[in-house]
Amino acid sequence: MGGLVGVEIPDPVSVESVSAWSDEVDVVVIGAGMAGVSAALEARSAGANVLVLDAGGRLTCTSAMAGGHFYLGGGTEVQQATGWDDSPEAMADYLALMSPECDPAKIRAYADDSVEHFRWLESLGFEFNRSFYPHKAVVQPGTEGLSFTGNEKCLDVADVVKPVPRGHKVPIPGDTGGAGLVVGLALDELAERGVEVRWETAATALVLDGDRVAGVTWKDLDGAGAIKAGAVVIAAGGFVLNREMLETHAPDLLAVESNGMALGNTYDDGLGIRMGQSVGGVADHLGEVFLTGPFYPPGEALRGIVVNKLGERFVNEDSYHSRTSAFVFEQPDRVAYLILDEATMVQPSYRFQPLIDGWDTVEEMERALGIPEGALVGTLNSYNENAARGEDPDFRKAPEHLTPLDHGPWGAYDLTPGKCFYAGFSCGGLRVTVDGQLLRQDGTTVPGAYAAGACASNIAVDGKGYASGIQLGEASYFGRRAGRTAARQA
């Protein structure tokens, strides 16, 4: 059952207008993705009577599409087993550097509780492999349990915080399936604990008793109704599949329409966010997005340089892939190229970037790409001189990826949106406390209303500071906090 697509905010329903309740429970959770199942489990553990509604079917959630990285640290068993020394303080320092707009209390809680949260995830019935994957990858091809999944090794970051890997991968080979395993295990646990998940049942509006959220209305293929609840946890996903919301709030994501893929499911229509707004909640960072068209693996591709239509570099090429992409989208006309020479030429493994051509001289390449005369020649000459000394004073790419690009011929891959394949999702969501309580503009909370996952704004606020695993990590962690608090206050 689909929701209300568009930018309209659905009117809340007054409790007086409800003639009969289909159910009466302590906590209703809207959505059975990573955040929803975590909230439901924790609410049940706290003794609450819980009901979960999901507009789709089992494992149609966006979480189930993910590769299965969880961003965890502070000294997990995997970090210890593979010889990496981490602390909650170091983890918090890194996240604060990457997401300076995030509430420090959320970052601190996430880092302080990370080892406990790691153990909670494993308690669902799987184990992260106690092994480390050392290479530059989007998702490691095997089942190694730990890798670098963000900007930790970038020199400007490593100057401030010691580089430590925190991307914990669920032991499923390849790029997909890991998170689906975890959500499936959580759903099995919910069933064992007697929590009903009502599939193909869409929440349509929140029920208000004065200023308190007291339930939710729903519809399915057979009818409609209303559920009375002491608290409602909104975990209904983002809005990457709502074109009107993208046009209004996050137009950069429209780039995935011409050549790309929305990282979401049919029900990522933003209805959860708009339901929260309907009762006085506010949304943050709706214009911020995650976009990526990774040109690594192989890691050897990082030896190239990325330039814009003016022939200028604009990012350290060894950045995390969504950080590089975020900078591409800021360039004039969003035009960008990956330049390699004969000695460094490799094909990006995902083949998202078309190879434009090869040229015997840099001058020929410059003319063919429409770059101002002498600009690319100057950029390459400067880069090559510095790279020969193992230095990159302009953007500080790490020495391991530095080599002069002076062995012609040269080739260029097109990173321009529309020509390069990009995938993306929305980052903005409802403003919430560290415990998931829905916040009004004046800083007060909306009684009975909570939000977590992609429809809440927590740590992952944009693509520049993102690291693989933050979305699943914060969805599960803050989902648990929301469920626990909702149960206590229901």
Side-chain angles (χ1 to χ4, degrees):
M1 293 298 299
L4 176 68
V5 179
V7 294
E8 302 86 0
I9 294 175
D11 291 329
V13 174
S14 70
V15 71
E16 292 81 10
S17 67
V18 178
S19 58
W21 302 101
S22 63
D23 307 86
E24 293 191 28
V25 296
D26 297 321
V27 177
V28 169
V29 178
I30 304 171
M34 193 72 248
V37 295
S38 301
L41 279 173
E42 204 72 9
R44 185 72 192 96
S45 293
N49 179 18
V50 183
L51 175 62
V52 182
L53 307 180
D54 194 278
R58 181 184 171 97
L59 297 183
T60 60
C61 58
T62 299
S63 302
M65 300 167 61
H69 279 132
F70 287 80
Y71 200 83
L72 304 164
T76 68
E77 280 84 341
V78 177
Q79 288 178 318
Q80 292 180 32
T82 52
W84 291 97
D85 181 29
D86 196 14
S87 68
E89 293 76 18
M91 182 179 177
D93 287 346
Y94 173 77
L95 291 172
L97 190 65
M98 291 293 99
S99 298
E101 294 180 54
C102 179
D103 178 358
K106 291 181 179 179
I107 287 175
R108 195 65 220 222
Y110 185 66
D112 285 348
D113 295 341
S114 190
V115 171
E116 183 277 333
H117 188 58
F118 166 92
R119 292 169 182 161
W120 180 85
L121 287 165
E122 289 201 328
S123 77
L124 295 174
F126 75 97
E127 279 195 356
F128 294 101
N129 284 346
R130 272 56 172 167
S131 53
F132 174 66
Y133 183 79
H135 308 295
K136 187 82 170 178
V138 175
V139 181
Q140 56 266 50
T143 58
E144 297 90 345
L146 186 66
S147 64
F148 282 98
T149 60
N151 292 295
E152 298 89 354
K153 294 174 75 175
C154 293
L155 293 183
D156 58 332
V157 176
D159 282 347
V160 183
V161 185
K162 183 179 73 171
V164 178
R166 300 188 181 95
H168 289 63
K169 185 189 178 184
V170 179
I172 296 288
D175 287 53
T176 59
L181 171 71
V182 181
V183 175
L185 290 169
L187 288 170
D188 294 343
E189 182 74 11
L190 284 172
E192 287 182 22
R193 298 193 193 180
V195 175
E196 180 186 359
V197 180
R198 210 165 279 173
W199 303 111
E200 297 182 357
T201 304
T204 53
L206 296 176
V207 178
L208 275 181
D209 185 359
D211 68 346
R212 179 181 184 84
V213 171
V216 62
T217 59
W218 58 268
K219 66 176 181 180
D220 63 15
L221 291 170
D222 299 317
I227 299 165
K228 186 176 184 180
V232 176
V233 180
I234 306 168
F239 61 92
V240 70
L241 266 293
N242 184 332
R243 196 175 202 283
E244 290 181 55
M245 283 189 73
L246 295 185
E247 289 173 345
T248 303
H249 301 294
D252 280 354
L253 273 173
L254 296 173
V256 305
E257 290 185 338
S258 58
N259 183 18
M261 180 176 70
L263 295 174
N265 76 87
T266 309
Y267 309 105
D268 279 323
D269 56 11
L271 181 58
I273 294 171
R274 289 176 285 129
M275 286 169 64
Q277 292 172 314
S278 77
V279 294
V282 294
D284 291 328
H285 309 294
L286 290 185
E288 300 291 351
V289 300
F290 171 101
L291 279 157
T292 187
F295 56 79
Y296 68 82
E300 288 80 8
L302 301 174
R303 296 180 296 178
I305 61 168
V306 175
V307 300
N308 60 20
K309 66 182 291 185
L310 304 178
E312 301 165 341
R313 291 175 71 212
F314 53 85
V315 68
N316 52 312
E317 291 81 5
D318 56 342
S319 291
Y320 176 70
H321 49 89
S322 75
R323 181 178 178 84
T324 299
S325 299
F327 279 105
V328 167
F329 274 70
E330 292 177 354
Q331 300 313 301
D333 298 327
R334 297 177 174 175
V335 172
Y337 307 105
L338 171 66
I339 309 294
L340 296 151
D341 69 354
E342 184 181 45
T344 58
M345 177 57 66
V346 290
Q347 183 175 62
S349 299
Y350 292 111
R351 303 189 181 188
F352 290 158
Q353 303 77 14
L355 178 65
I356 300 170
D357 208 344
W359 301 273
D360 290 329
T361 70
V362 178
E363 288 82 0
E364 288 176 295
M365 176 167 57
E366 199 174 63
R367 285 194 296 273
L369 297 177
I371 291 171
E373 184 177 354
L376 185 56
V377 172
T379 294
L380 266 173
N381 285 342
S382 173
Y383 178 82
N384 289 342
E385 289 174 17
N386 290 318
R389 295 192 296 269
E391 300 172 358
D392 179 21
D394 297 323
F395 291 94
R396 303 194 63 211
K397 180 158 66 174
E400 66 186 280
H401 304 301
L402 285 174
T403 185
L405 304 174
D406 55 7
H407 290 79
W410 291 263
Y413 287 101
D414 204 333
L415 308 185
T416 306
K419 296 177 180 176
C420 175
F421 181 98
Y422 279 88
F425 55 80
S426 57
C427 288
L430 294 164
R431 187 181 301 173
V432 291
T433 69
V434 69
D435 288 315
Q437 297 159 295
L438 186 61
L439 285 165
R440 300 187 181 98
Q441 190 69 51
D442 64 4
T444 61
T445 59
V446 179
Y450 301 81
C455 62
S457 181
N458 283 308
I459 295 173
V461 297
D462 63 26
K464 283 185 178 176
Y466 195 81
S468 292
I470 289 182
Q471 195 81 301
L472 289 173
E474 70 166 46
S476 51
Y477 174 73
F478 290 108
R480 290 178 65 203
R481 289 189 76 116
R484 189 161 59 239
T485 309
R488 191 166 61 240
Q489 298 187 356

